[in-house]
Amino acid sequence: AQSVTQLDSHVSVSEGTPVLLRCNYSSSYSPSLFWYVQHPNKGLQLLLKYTSAATLVKGINGFEAEFKKSETSFHLTKPSAHMSDAAEYFCVVSAHASGGSYIPTFGRGTSLIVHP
Amino acid sequence: GAGVSQSPRYKVAKRGQDVALRCDPISGHVSLFWYQQALGQGPEFLTYFQNEAQLDKSGLPSDRFFAERPEGSVSTLKIQRTQQEDSAVYLCASSLSGTRFPYQETQYFGPGTRLLVL
């Protein structure tokens, strides 16, 4: 079994300030974790993914996330927000075991609002 | 190169009508996925194809939903006798390879088809 919880439905920041989007997961097996971004009228785009390699994962557009097994978290961060970062962000978990992998489970999304 | 495309982008159907939604994956991509995204929710998995084989259809909500990918490229999601609860955005995604762990691969998403059932 697996699940993912995005702790904030909306996050509001000023341009140039840090971004933190929180994600907690549960999984009975080794998880792969993803962050996707969805801009209006655009398809979801992969920001970064963790698949049991380095726990600090760097993605596109200056985003990064750290896998913390003890806290079952995979929070997304960026040092300095840009207006173009305003979008919907989804955390995704997909566990894998020796028999195969589990279908991805998406969080409900966090809407990032960036103020000038 | 070209990304994943979906058509139509918008579809309005009367309750009880049948609809067909098309997905053109990135050329050469082996795996293809369909998701349903209700308003204000994250996408939910519907089904997965590896080439023309439908390997997982565990997410299809009822037998009114049917998907095919007969030649291993273009896919069609068909919904028969549409109901109001079918109103959602239907997303298609593709990935390059069909490994033993297909859900760990990077997926490339299309813009979606927004279905409204009246």
Side-chain angles (χ1 to χ4, degrees), chain A residues 3-8 11 20-26 31-36 48 65-69 71-77 89-94 105-110:
Chain A
S3 66
V4 62
T5 302
Q6 291 185 241
L7 297 164
D8 306 291
V11 169
L20 170 64
L21 305 183
R22 299 182 294 165
C23 173
N24 284 100
Y25 72 92
S26 71
S32 291
L33 293 154
F34 310 76
W35 276 100
Y36 281 87
L48 49 80
E66 186 172 7
F67 172 69
K68 292 187 176 181
K69 186 175 180 179
E71 299 177 9
T72 61
S73 69
F74 191 59
H75 301 335
L76 182 70
T77 61
Y89 291 78
F90 293 96
C91 182
V92 186
V93 62
S94 175
T105 300
F106 284 70
R108 295 186 63 169
T110 297

Side-chain angles (χ1 to χ4, degrees), chain A residues 9-66:
Chain A
S9 59
H10 296 84
V11 169
S12 182
V13 300
S14 297
E15 190 175 21
T17 64
V19 175
L20 170 64
L21 305 183
R22 299 182 294 165
C23 173
N24 284 100
Y25 72 92
S26 71
S27 175
S28 303
Y29 302 99
S30 301
S32 291
L33 293 154
F34 310 76
W35 276 100
Y36 281 87
V37 61
Q38 187 176 36
H39 287 94
N41 297 314
K42 297 278 184 69
L44 283 89
Q45 181 184 19
L46 181 70
L47 282 176
L48 49 80
K49 67 177 180 180
Y50 166 79
T51 54
S52 74
T55 56
L56 181 61
V57 182
K58 294 188 183 298
I60 62 171
N61 301 335
F63 284 95
E64 63 180 41
E66 186 172 7

Side-chain angles (χ1 to χ4, degrees), chain A residues 32 34 36 38 41-44 46 49 90 94-104 106-108, chain B residues 9-10 35 37 40-45 56 58 91 100-111:
Chain A
S32 291
F34 310 76
Y36 281 87
Q38 187 176 36
N41 297 314
K42 297 278 184 69
L44 283 89
L46 181 70
K49 67 177 180 180
F90 293 96
S94 175
H96 54 92
S98 58
S101 58
Y102 289 81
I103 62 175
F106 284 70
R108 295 186 63 169
Chain B
R9 291 293 311 277
Y10 303 92
Y35 296 86
Q37 186 176 17
Q41 305 292 322
E44 291 193 359
F45 172 85
D56 191 337
S58 60
L91 300 171
R100 186 162 154 243
F101 302 105
Y103 306 119
Q104 272 64 52
E105 299 294 320
T106 297
Q107 296 182 29
Y108 298 85
F109 283 80

